[in-house]
Amino acid sequence: MSNQPTSSSLDEAAQKALSLHQDGRLDEAASLYDQILGAAPDHPEILYFSGALAAQTGDYALALKRLNQAAGHAPHIADIHYNIGVVLKELGRFQDAAEAYRRAVEINPDFPDAHNNLGFVLQSLNRLDDAADAYRRALKTNPDYTEVRTNLALLLKQCGDLEGAAAEFKRALEKSPENRELEHDLRDTYRQMVPAWHFPMLNDRTRNETYQQAITKAVRPDDIVLDIGSGTGLLAMIAAKAGAKHVYACEVVKPIAEISRQIIADNGYADKITVIDKLSTELEVGKDIPGPATLLISEILDNALLGEGVLPTLRHANACLISPDARMIPTSAVVWGTVIQCPEFKALNTAGGACGFNLDAFNYFRHTSFGFDWERENSVSLTHPFEILRFDFRDIPEGKITRDIRITATAEGTAQAVVVWFDLTLIDDIVFSTRIGERHNHWHQVIFLLDTELPLKPEQTFTLTVGHTDKKLIVGLPSRP
């Protein structure tokens, strides 16, 4: 009579071992798995379950041995390769884990957990595009898989695709509305997309009231208004309230555009204002707006006037988006400057000596300009204000422009920087200025540190080079021959 176990007895033992395993009686299950494998060492199912249990208890060497044996006997089972990947991931063998997960999804393309874990190990290997593809394949199989969508969102955020990340966080939150961590991640992404300066700007009464005065004066009942860089829609609503026929508010940052639509609806202007979430340079007359605008409004200015791209934006608008006789707010700007001595500010923004070490070489990375609150910073003016540049926003030059100007000192001191501000003509005689003495919550002056210090005496004349590109002002001492 044979002493070998029968197929029936093996099946009964396997079922009992699996039941113990599922009930959390892991030691008893492991012992029974070992007994079965002693009698049937090539049993693929028991090798698989035994390997999975070993992984569960942290015995990764035994887990990997038995799972690989199981794969050798049953290479067509995706779950075995998936669990090999899990063990290899825990061991930090990400490249090998990726191969195991790939084998699992080759066998079963509709295996979201395998795609998700493949995305994780590829992300750990810094293969970010491949990781994103793996997460998307998982979502194609199971669109409601919140963990995968969150992983994709975090990856997109890591890659700097904040808009894509926000969209994925938002979709994940729709499926898990009580998930406070997702809510935090979404709002944190929005905060990175929406600069904090929006809030003091929105509370800048001088800016708001001056724009309101200009827009109210400019708007005519038949106007088609284009508001570029609309933000919350404040200026668009002022135009609508002033009686414009229709306003098209262009705002490229999608979460801002979405909130803008809500704000506009909350204030009762949804039928008068259309929000377009595109760059203005992508707008097409006849497609995005019905015809050329008759009034163009913009406030795409930074402290140094040009940093938000006002010149190329308005150049394109003049050529493609507005009628030849359209009015514009603002119409022009004048940039002014004063040479100052500011030893404390310069020292704070210049690398020198620290702890007995010479750090001068680090000044290679020093910024050329900084925001500057002239009323609060300690400085001495060494010249009268002088005009640096003048812009007509209906006739914007192209390319880099520089010129030398002669300046006369009015006081003795050391020229260390030029402080800069601008006067903005909105329309006719309505002017908005960022000069010292104007009370703003948002606007300050800008300071350009000179590369070398220049000793000055009263009535001494000297030369500055000034100019601009499409995105920045140029202010400094002339280049040496």
Side-chain angles (χ1 to χ4, degrees):
M1 187 175 187
S2 172
N3 291 324
Q4 293 297 318
T6 66
S7 174
S8 175
S9 64
L10 280 174
D11 287 344
E12 289 177 7
Q15 286 298 322
K16 182 178 180 182
L18 183 58
S19 179
L20 291 168
H21 191 168
Q22 291 172 337
D23 289 344
R25 296 163 64 180
L26 302 185
D27 289 341
E28 295 174 68
S31 177
L32 189 49
Y33 283 145
D34 287 343
Q35 291 178 38
I36 298 169
L37 289 173
D42 297 333
H43 195 302
E45 186 178 22
I46 298 304
L47 285 168
Y48 167 56
F49 288 131
S50 175
L53 188 150
Q56 190 175 347
T57 58
D59 189 348
Y60 296 125
L62 178 60
L64 199 54
K65 175 183 175 182
R66 289 190 172 170
L67 289 169
N68 279 325
Q69 288 176 315
H73 293 294
H76 60 287
I77 298 178
D79 280 347
I80 296 175
H81 297 282
Y82 171 79
N83 278 276
I84 291 172
V86 171
V87 173
L88 291 168
K89 184 183 74 168
E90 292 297 327
L91 292 170
R93 294 168 56 181
F94 293 138
Q95 187 62 56
D96 294 333
E99 293 305 317
Y101 290 132
R102 273 204 193 86
R103 181 67 182 131
V105 297
E106 285 171 1
I107 297 167
N108 179 11
D110 297 332
F111 195 160
D113 285 337
H115 286 298
N116 182 40
N117 278 19
L118 176 59
F120 175 86
V121 295
L122 289 172
Q123 189 172 350
S124 300
L125 292 167
N126 205 36
R127 295 170 56 181
L128 303 184
D129 289 341
D130 292 337
D133 184 63
Y135 290 139
R136 290 189 175 103
R137 288 177 184 273
L139 290 170
K140 186 176 181 180
T141 300
N142 181 4
D144 296 334
Y145 201 154
T146 300
E147 179 186 340
V148 180
R149 199 168 292 283
T150 303
N151 287 342
L152 176 58
L154 291 169
L155 172 60
L156 293 174
K157 191 172 180 180
Q158 177 185 345
C159 295
D161 182 2
L162 297 178
E163 187 174 304
E168 298 298 341
F169 279 133
K170 190 174 181 181
R171 290 184 67 183
L173 194 59
E174 288 169 357
K175 296 297 181 182
S176 303
E178 302 304 318
N179 189 322
R180 298 277 66 83
E181 186 174 352
L182 274 175
E183 174 73 22
H184 170 80
D185 285 335
L186 176 60
R187 295 193 68 180
D188 181 68
T189 306
Y190 281 158
R191 289 185 189 104
Q192 292 185 44
M193 298 174 73
V194 181
W197 51 254
H198 277 274
F199 295 93
M201 179 187 72
L202 290 169
N203 288 288
D204 190 328
R205 290 182 60 184
T206 303
R207 173 250 190 199
N208 296 343
E209 291 172 1
T210 307
Y211 262 90
Q212 184 175 35
Q213 181 185 2
I215 293 169
T216 302
K217 182 176 183 179
V219 166
R220 298 169 184 168
D222 59 348
D223 270 331
I224 298 298
V225 179
L226 176 60
D227 175 19
I228 295 178
S230 185
T232 61
L234 174 62
L235 303 186
M237 289 189 293
I238 292 171
K241 183 179 180 180
K245 182 178 180 180
H246 201 83
V247 182
Y248 293 88
C250 180
E251 175 52 58
V252 69
V253 182
K254 290 191 184 298
I256 297 181
E258 290 174 7
I259 291 295
S260 174
R261 290 186 184 98
Q262 177 184 328
I263 291 170
I264 288 165
D266 289 345
N267 285 275
Y269 289 101
D271 61 333
K272 297 277 287 182
I273 301 172
T274 300
V275 179
I276 307 170
D277 49 358
K278 284 185 177 182
L279 287 167
S280 67
T281 51
E282 296 174 350
L283 297 183
E284 296 180 37
V285 173
K287 181 180 177 182
D288 299 296
I289 57 176
T294 57
L295 175 61
L296 177 65
I297 299 171
S298 66
E299 204 275 63
I300 41 176
L301 311 168
D302 66 354
N303 286 331
L305 187 70
L306 306 183
E308 292 186 23
V310 63
L311 296 187
T313 299
L314 295 186
R315 187 187 299 123
H316 174 268
N318 278 317
C320 302
L321 301 176
I322 65 176
S323 63
D325 59 348
R327 284 144 292 122
M328 180 181 288
I329 297 174
T331 61
S332 61
V334 181
V335 180
W336 300 90
T338 296
V339 175
I340 62 171
Q341 178 175 294
C342 52
E344 295 171 5
F345 186 91
K346 180 175 181 180
L348 185 63
N349 293 282
T350 303
C355 300
F357 298 99
N358 183 345
L359 308 179
D360 287 349
F362 199 73
N363 288 315
Y364 185 79
F365 302 117
R366 190 178 73 180
H367 291 215
T368 58
S369 63
F370 306 82
F372 188 73
D373 190 339
W374 202 358
E375 287 188 306
R376 290 181 172 83
E377 297 288 349
N378 185 23
S379 67
V380 176
S381 297
L382 302 179
T383 68
H384 290 308
F386 52 87
E387 184 178 310
I388 293 176
L389 293 165
R390 184 175 290 265
F391 296 98
D392 177 355
F393 293 137
R394 289 306 303 260
D395 184 18
I396 299 172
E398 295 196 43
K400 180 179 178 180
I401 294 174
T402 60
R403 64 188 177 94
D404 288 344
I405 57 175
R406 295 292 292 174
I407 308 297
T408 301
T410 58
E412 184 172 353
T414 301
Q416 296 175 312
V418 181
V419 61
V420 170
W421 67 98
F422 61 84
D423 292 344
L424 191 70
T425 299
L426 299 183
I427 193 169
D428 298 335
D429 59 348
I430 301 176
V431 178
F432 171 85
S433 181
T434 63
R435 65 180 174 267
I436 191 170
E438 297 288 340
R439 297 316 308 149
H440 297 291
N441 299 321
H442 174 56
W443 298 100
H444 293 293
Q445 298 75 44
V446 174
I447 190 171
F448 290 80
L449 293 178
L450 300 177
D451 289 335
T452 57
E453 296 188 346
L454 182 65
L456 294 176
K457 293 184 178 180
E459 304 303 321
Q460 179 181 341
T461 61
F462 60 99
T463 300
L464 289 177
T465 296
V466 298
H468 68 90
T469 66
D470 266 359
K471 289 292 188 74
K472 68 177 183 179
L473 297 174
I474 298 169
V475 180
L477 297 172
S479 299
R480 295 175 182 175

